[in-house]
Amino acid sequence: MPVLKSLGDPYTPERPIIKVIGCGGAGCNTLKDIPAIPNMETIGLNDARHPSLQGVKKVIQVKQEGLKAIALSSKKVSGELYTPKEKEIAKQISGADMVYIVTGLGGEMGTWGSVVAAKVARKLSILSMALATMPFHVESERRRAVAKEGADILSRTADCLVLFSNDKLLKIAPDLPLTRAFSVMGQVMTSPILSFSRVITKGDKRVLREAFEGCREMRLGAGDGRPSDRVQKSVYEAFRSPWFEDVNVAKAKVAVVFVSSSEAFPEDLDEVAEEARSRMPKADIYYSGYKEEMGDRLRTVLLVGFG
Ligand SMILES: Nc1nc2c(ncn2[C@@H]2O[C@H](COP(=O)(O)OP(=O)(O)OP(=O)(O)O)[C@@H](O)[C@H]2O)c(=O)[nH]1
Ligand SMILES: [Mg+2]
């Protein structure tokens, strides 16, 4: 029987220490789209003092040279010496309960940097979630090949990889100049960081590790509903996510469901969980609700994982 389990614990709300590491130009730019969250620190990883690092307080600067070799090395390094690049990353992320790795796949720095960051997190036994974009179709063949290779390794190195195809960006942000569209993408792709940070406690780490086990890739859907019927509307919109178009949601192995509104109604959460169950009969479902000032709207955020 698939699991249906709630996340969070109102009685022992000990919040985890979160670090977000933005890798390469896109990853570092995206750090600016994440609002400040208590217990969270953002770190930029890049190869030069690039404009994307403007305003980023913690910076790890590493040369691209040799990064891919570290990313591809399959050595199990527990107990072994880290390379200097890994040591540098380890210094910045150690002590975290959870690490989010944010990147635009396709370039050398973000692709291999994110894999190395995931490796370091694994070596330090820190729970990791990578959130990554795939290049636009019109970008070069080479970029798409690098992104594909990177995504494949990242999905096996991080505990969980949430993948966003840039091509679908046109569906959620049509008619916007590219820099604005990238910022919309940044807000969307980092929204799970916000949801998790509102909900999970240190105790949930174990639960999430379990949830992500055997799940190679996740996709995101989000929807807002307004009265009346706001629950159904938000769920309907979330399941219509452009990132679900090329997957079969009914075959999902895992789903994490967040419901937020200005006032918490437990029955709304139950309704969303029930709807999620009927659409994903085989999935282990983890769900949680939280309060957020959003007028009369209700938001459903879905992370749906496949093996
Ligand atoms: N979300 C977002 N994506 C971007 C941005 N700039 C580029 N991208 C996408 O991310 C991919 C990687 O680009 P960069 O991050 O600039 O590349 P890099 O990892 O720094 O690698 P190099 O090309 O070696 O500098 C691109 O192919 C685009 O698909 C951005 O500002 N925001
Ligand atoms: Mg770059």
Side-chain angles (χ1 to χ4, degrees):
M1 270 294 277
V3 166
L4 183 64
K5 216 177 206 171
S6 70
L7 288 172
D9 180 350
Y11 303 107
T12 52
E14 201 190 345
R15 295 287 175 219
I17 296 168
I18 300 166
K19 306 231 180 171
V20 184
I21 176 160
C23 305
C28 294
N29 274 335
T30 302
L31 294 180
K32 297 173 192 75
D33 300 316
I34 310 174
I37 294 171
N39 289 353
M40 185 186 81
E41 185 176 83
T42 51
I43 302 157
L45 174 73
N46 216 334
D47 52 352
R49 269 277 166 193
H50 190 260
S52 65
L53 289 169
Q54 233 162 29
V56 178
K57 284 200 198 102
K58 287 235 161 137
V59 173
I60 309 172
Q61 203 176 317
V62 297
K63 289 207 177 76
Q64 267 190 37
E65 204 186 342
L67 200 58
K68 180 175 178 182
I70 302 170
L72 297 185
S73 79
S74 57
K75 267 186 280 174
K76 294 240 184 330
V77 193
S78 55
E80 285 182 37
L81 277 179
Y82 298 118
T83 62
K85 287 183 171 85
E86 288 174 294
K87 273 188 186 161
E88 198 56 42
I89 296 172
K91 204 162 75 189
Q92 298 295 345
I93 66 171
S94 65
D97 292 298
M98 190 157 183
V99 169
Y100 295 94
I101 299 160
V102 181
T103 189
L105 293 170
E108 297 291 324
M109 188 62 216
T111 303
W112 308 122
S114 61
V115 174
V116 174
K119 283 198 153 184
V120 173
R122 178 153 292 239
K123 285 173 201 165
L124 298 176
S125 298
I126 302 171
L127 184 68
S128 66
M129 174 178 262
L131 303 135
T133 60
M134 292 298 271
F136 288 104
H137 202 76
V138 293
E139 293 187 70
S140 69
E141 187 77 35
R142 164 151 182 80
R143 277 196 169 245
R144 283 189 286 128
V146 169
K148 200 165 172 296
E149 189 182 3
D152 188 52
I153 302 169
L154 200 49
S155 73
R156 285 182 276 120
T157 315
D159 287 295
C160 157
L161 166 66
V162 191
L163 216 49
F164 300 84
S165 153
N166 269 344
D167 285 327
K168 308 289 185 188
L169 190 50
L170 303 173
K171 295 210 170 175
I172 58 162
D175 311 324
L176 282 184
L178 195 58
T179 49
R180 281 277 301 118
F182 274 147
S183 171
V184 171
M185 180 61 123
Q187 287 164 37
V188 172
M189 74 187 281
T190 56
S191 65
I193 303 178
L194 262 70
S195 300
F196 276 115
S197 76
R198 295 296 296 271
V199 165
I200 62 167
T201 62
K202 281 184 187 265
D204 285 318
K205 280 195 294 180
R206 193 180 44 79
V207 182
L208 288 179
R209 238 180 239 288
E210 230 171 70
F212 298 151
E213 212 166 36
C215 152
R216 293 260 327 225
E217 187 182 318
M218 294 190 111
R219 298 294 179 90
L220 177 110
D224 279 10
R226 290 197 151 78
S228 60
D229 221 9
R230 60 181 196 161
V231 173
Q232 288 299 323
K233 281 177 189 156
S234 77
V235 173
Y236 178 76
E237 194 185 317
F239 275 104
R240 272 188 35 202
S241 165
W243 292 292
F244 292 169
E245 279 170 5
D246 58 340
V247 289
N248 184 354
V249 169
K251 292 203 171 144
K253 277 185 81 173
V254 180
V256 184
V257 181
F258 297 105
V259 179
S260 56
S261 56
S262 304
E263 274 174 80
F265 295 109
E267 60 274 22
D268 288 348
L269 185 54
D270 291 343
E271 198 179 333
V272 174
E274 254 170 54
E275 187 65 32
R277 163 59 69 230
S278 77
R279 293 196 191 221
M280 299 179 285
K282 299 191 180 104
D284 287 333
I285 297 177
Y286 300 83
Y287 65 98
S288 195
Y290 58 91
K291 279 198 219 174
E292 187 174 28
E293 188 40 62
M294 51 196 305
D296 58 4
R297 285 174 303 145
L298 177 136
R299 178 167 301 152
T300 295
V301 175
L302 302 167
L303 280 171
V304 177
F306 303 88

